[in-house]
Amino acid sequence: ITVQNSASGTYSFGNGSSTTQVFGATAYKNIITVLYFGANIISVSAYQFYQYNSLKYISISNSITSIGDHSFRECGSIVAIISPSSNLSIGTLMCYICYSLQYFICNVNLITIGSDIFRNCPNIRIFKMPSVSSLTINIFQNATSLSTILLKSGIVSVQDNAFNNCYSLKSISIPSTLTSISASAFNGCTGLVEYIFNSTNPPTLANINAFIGINQICKIYVPDASLNAYKTATNWVTYANYIYPLSSKP
């Protein structure tokens, strides 16, 4: 542990490298199962708990404002991460290949969010998305058990491969703030039978492969007044036969 601000008494875990050791002993990787952060911890450095394979539960204190890249990467036993923090920045690949992760409870405003955070987390099931402006590259790629996701208003973009191979998703409602969808964003979401787009202006669709593998019975619901706009918009026209007015939704 290194003192980050001696005047305020706040601390930061780790030195930001994959060789970081907690309490000076790598043996703790196989001992720590539950992790609580104290009130004076304000950040978790990159790679801090990399491959801590016994770690199962993490409670992030309200004082923490940043979690570094790869911080819980390849912690194969983590089941749940809970964070009440009001403002939090999360680094790239935070929970990459956390095979056992099922719940991420985060009632916060995320200032920034890195790419690949929950990539290859096949057991994460329900996710309540905090306030973010973008669903970043590969954020849920291969989260094959993800069945429910709740998205808050404020999201403006869904980036490349954000939901690639999330084939357990059945329905998704996209806030009206969305303005762009990148390539392969929903590629392989074969279980999705209902998209609900609330924006009156069709979001820019970067490539026709955004919905590759779309279920043949899938319906894309859009505001009634925007039906023709969606059906004729660039790249959306490829999916015109899937697009229906919101008023027809059962």
Side-chain angles (χ1 to χ4, degrees), residues 133-194:
S133 62
S134 176
L135 294 176
T136 51
I137 295 172
N138 304 326
I139 183 170
F140 292 110
Q141 186 175 26
N142 298 326
T144 53
S145 295
L146 183 66
S147 59
T148 303
I149 185 163
L150 305 175
L151 303 178
K152 289 186 177 180
S153 179
I155 293 172
V156 297
S157 67
V158 180
Q159 296 187 14
D160 296 9
N161 298 302
F163 292 98
N164 195 331
N165 289 331
C166 291
Y167 50 71
S168 293
L169 271 176
K170 303 300 182 186
S171 175
I172 188 168
S173 180
I174 311 292
S176 61
T177 50
L178 188 76
T179 60
S180 67
I181 300 173
S182 296
S184 301
F186 296 97
N187 184 9
C189 291
T190 54
L192 261 168
V193 294
E194 180 180 88

Side-chain angles (χ1 to χ4, degrees), residues 7-214:
S8 64
T10 55
Y11 297 84
S12 174
F13 264 115
N15 60 14
S17 78
S18 58
T19 59
T20 294
Q21 297 179 358
V22 177
F23 311 121
T26 55
Y28 281 90
K29 285 189 173 185
N30 299 315
I31 295 176
I32 298 174
T33 59
V34 180
L35 182 63
Y36 297 94
F37 289 98
N40 287 333
I41 303 297
I42 62 172
S43 67
V44 179
S45 297
Y47 288 100
Q48 178 55 68
F49 296 97
Y50 174 56
Q51 292 183 339
Y52 272 63
N53 292 314
S54 294
L55 194 55
K56 292 185 177 181
Y57 301 99
I58 301 170
S59 178
I60 298 171
S61 66
N62 192 56
S63 60
I64 290 179
T65 57
S66 68
I67 299 176
D69 299 345
H70 309 269
S71 51
F72 302 111
R73 176 176 173 168
E74 297 177 42
C75 291
S77 298
I78 290 179
V79 175
I81 299 176
I82 301 172
S83 174
S85 182
S86 56
N87 289 286
L88 185 65
S89 294
I90 294 180
T92 298
L93 292 157
M94 180 187 75
C95 291
Y96 178 61
I97 318 184
C98 287
Y99 288 119
S100 300
L101 183 64
Q102 295 183 35
Y103 308 102
F104 182 79
I105 303 169
C106 189
N107 297 314
V108 305
N109 294 315
L110 293 182
I111 302 170
T112 59
I113 186 168
S115 66
D116 301 87
I117 291 176
F118 301 105
R119 182 181 177 187
N120 293 346
C121 292
N123 283 303
I124 193 164
R125 300 176 186 280
I126 299 174
F127 193 92
K128 183 179 180 181
M129 196 70 197
S131 296
V132 295
S133 62
S134 176
L135 294 176
T136 51
I137 295 172
N138 304 326
I139 183 170
F140 292 110
Q141 186 175 26
N142 298 326
T144 53
S145 295
L146 183 66
S147 59
T148 303
I149 185 163
L150 305 175
L151 303 178
K152 289 186 177 180
S153 179
I155 293 172
V156 297
S157 67
V158 180
Q159 296 187 14
D160 296 9
N161 298 302
F163 292 98
N164 195 331
N165 289 331
C166 291
Y167 50 71
S168 293
L169 271 176
K170 303 300 182 186
S171 175
I172 188 168
S173 180
I174 311 292
S176 61
T177 50
L178 188 76
T179 60
S180 67
I181 300 173
S182 296
S184 301
F186 296 97
N187 184 9
C189 291
T190 54
L192 261 168
V193 294
E194 180 180 88
Y195 291 87
I196 302 170
F197 285 92
N198 293 288
S199 175
T200 54
N201 296 315
T204 301
L205 201 60
N207 195 298
I208 61 172
N209 68 7
F211 299 102
I212 286 293
I214 189 169

